[in-house]
Amino acid sequence: MTHDHDVLIAGGGLVGGSLALALRGTGLRVAVIEAQPESARLASAAGDRALALSWGSVQILRQLGIWGDIEPHAAAIRHIHVSDRGHLGKVRLHADDLGVAALGYVATARVIETAIARALSAAALDMLCPASLMGVTSGRGGVHVSLRHGAESMALTARLLIGADGGNSTVRRLLEIGQAVREYGQTAIVTEVETALPNQGVAYERFTAAGPLAMLPLGKRRSSVVWTQKHADAEELVVLSDAEFRERLQQAFGFWLGKLTLTGPRRSFPLRLIRAERMQAERVLLVGNAMHQLHPVAGQGFNLGLRDVALLAERLTACREFGEDIGDPGFLQRYVKARHSDLEAVIRFTDGLVGVFSTDLAPVSVVRNLGLLALDQLPPLKNLLTRHAMGLSERLPRFG
């Protein structure tokens, strides 16, 4: 059977665009189907999101050839400071302890998306944008996709379709793949602040009874705030005046960085753990947020999606070099199995943090603070946690 392409990627954003870049020069015929026009992406408030990039993710972005465009606009995380509000327990992680310049970096989604878009425009790939997926039919011979590209209806065939089209994945919906959803009963409030004191490259994760409060460096005196609250409390905080909100935020975070000044709008979104019931269908794979959406605690979501991409690109490249069918069920099953341990470990880690640190019950509080104090004093365990934060708990794939 003749196919128009080897790989169709639905979604040209952070994860889908990264996969397309990873497949450059492999000999695979790749097309990207993206619903959002460039003008809409640039105007979207979602681009203001601050993303924590682990050290491992930075290495993947280097392999993609785009880290040079991102780094000038990224803030280094040289230290991670974890504390429990109202208690003595703290853990401090330092890049120097592992002999690296930074544990990770923080960059806005727009900076990363722009670097990806610039590289894609120079790549020998078919870009269909704006294009809406209308239908998917897969079988032993290939996958058939119908779409609307501007005013034109199109039909494409490929050996493999990748659903990288985000949390509201059209690929997942068209294939009727269900989702398992766990509601946390929490809302994240996101904003930006200027701090009286320089942050010195410290990323703060401060746990409160309502949920975690993260303060991520964006510049010398600029930080991104992700403040988790119970739904009702979040609704109240969002409508407060700037002065009242700033005061509440200052009380929750403390004066680690001196006086805080609001510099960005407040946005909020409900928090839940969402997992597709399966990653694989016939000649179809789901990656990134199309497959998994996590609580933002520890900032693992995009890093996990990048690892999806890196391993998939490595395996697709090897599969083609050996002349094998990249849509073969056995190949796809092996990939799913290979990603299973990383996905499960990250979900257990983030889910566990939310459960343990979102309560003020005395017995839990005592145990977790003893744990934090002990962890800070035990170098082997501390280094293990540091490596996990750097995204080094898994082997870094190589591709291209």
Side-chain angles (χ1 to χ4, degrees):
M1 179 179 178
T2 301
H3 301 91
D4 300 312
H5 297 86
D6 295 307
V7 182
L8 293 177
I9 302 172
L14 291 168
V15 172
S18 295
L19 177 59
L21 292 179
L23 296 178
R24 289 173 301 179
T26 61
L28 292 168
R29 296 166 299 160
V30 178
V32 178
I33 303 166
E34 171 55 44
Q36 188 177 54
E38 181 72 359
S39 57
R41 180 186 66 79
L42 291 172
S44 172
D48 296 331
R49 288 174 298 143
L51 299 178
L53 304 171
S54 69
W55 188 90
S57 289
V58 169
Q59 307 319 304
I60 293 172
L61 295 171
R62 286 188 196 278
Q63 288 190 68
L64 295 177
I66 60 175
W67 179 242
D69 288 339
I70 297 170
E71 187 176 14
H73 309 286
I77 298 174
R78 296 187 175 88
H79 316 276
I80 296 175
H81 185 283
V82 182
S83 62
D84 193 359
R85 183 173 180 261
H87 303 280
L88 294 176
K90 295 179 184 63
V91 174
R92 289 151 290 199
L93 310 178
H94 308 288
D96 290 347
D97 291 345
L98 288 183
V100 294
L103 299 171
Y105 291 79
V106 181
T108 65
R110 184 171 289 107
V111 163
I112 303 170
E113 287 170 341
T114 299
I116 290 171
R118 186 180 296 121
L120 284 176
S121 67
L125 303 169
D126 290 338
M127 287 291 300
L128 303 172
C129 178
S132 301
L133 212 59
M134 307 301 292
V136 175
T137 305
S138 56
R140 295 182 63 185
V143 58
H144 302 258
V145 170
S146 59
L147 54 95
R148 173 80 61 180
H149 183 212
E152 181 184 1
S153 294
M154 299 180 64
L156 299 175
T157 60
R159 299 180 188 279
L160 179 64
L161 170 65
I162 306 297
D165 48 348
N168 296 317
S169 171
T170 301
V171 172
R172 190 185 61 234
R173 176 176 56 80
L174 289 172
L175 292 174
E176 298 182 343
I177 296 175
Q179 292 179 298
V181 180
R182 176 174 177 179
E183 298 285 350
Y184 286 114
Q186 297 175 328
T187 294
I189 302 172
V190 179
T191 189
E192 255 186 53
V193 295
E194 181 178 321
T195 60
L197 301 176
N199 55 54
Q200 307 288 352
V202 180
Y204 291 89
E205 189 83 58
R206 189 152 171 77
F207 291 99
T208 74
L213 167 56
M215 193 80 72
L216 305 176
L218 285 173
K220 185 177 180 180
R221 296 178 188 269
R222 284 177 59 225
S223 292
S224 172
V225 176
V226 183
W227 192 9
T228 301
Q229 288 282 316
K230 296 171 183 175
H231 290 321
D233 294 335
E235 290 175 4
E236 176 193 349
L237 287 167
V238 167
V239 298
L240 289 177
S241 68
D242 283 354
E244 291 172 313
F245 179 83
R246 189 212 69 80
E247 182 62 29
R248 296 277 286 272
L249 177 61
Q250 188 84 67
Q251 290 173 3
F253 180 70
F255 285 84
W256 299 99
L257 295 173
K259 184 178 178 180
L260 306 178
T261 303
L262 289 181
T263 57
R266 280 168 268 165
R267 300 187 177 94
S268 63
F269 53 93
L271 299 179
R272 50 180 68 98
L273 170 62
I274 305 177
R275 301 176 63 182
E277 291 177 350
R278 50 196 169 100
M279 187 184 292
Q280 173 193 0
E282 195 164 33
R283 293 191 174 272
V284 179
L285 282 175
L286 301 179
V287 296
N289 279 359
M291 173 61 200
H292 42 71
Q293 296 173 72
L294 311 181
H295 194 289
V297 65
Q300 292 297 309
F302 178 52
N303 296 300
L304 191 62
L306 268 184
R307 294 200 294 275
D308 287 347
V309 161
L311 183 63
L312 180 56
E314 179 185 68
R315 294 200 169 204
L316 285 172
T317 302
C319 191
R320 184 191 180 281
E321 288 176 351
F322 285 108
E324 299 173 357
D325 180 4
I326 61 172
D328 177 74
F331 168 74
L332 301 184
Q333 288 165 9
R334 289 190 294 274
Y335 168 78
V336 170
K337 184 177 180 180
R339 289 299 299 136
H340 179 77
S341 61
D342 185 23
L343 175 59
E344 291 299 318
V346 170
I347 287 176
R348 284 196 303 269
F349 177 66
T350 57
D351 202 46
L353 284 179
V354 175
V356 171
F357 286 96
S358 292
T359 178
D360 245 359
L361 290 174
V364 178
S365 178
V366 169
V367 171
R368 77 188 178 210
N369 275 274
L370 288 174
L372 288 174
L373 288 167
L375 186 59
D376 199 45
Q377 300 300 317
L378 294 172
L381 287 179
K382 196 172 176 179
N383 285 343
L384 186 64
L385 180 60
T386 305
R387 289 183 60 81
H388 182 85
M390 293 174 67
L392 297 179
S393 53
E394 293 282 313
R395 178 187 68 86
L396 288 177
R398 299 199 61 81
F399 46 83

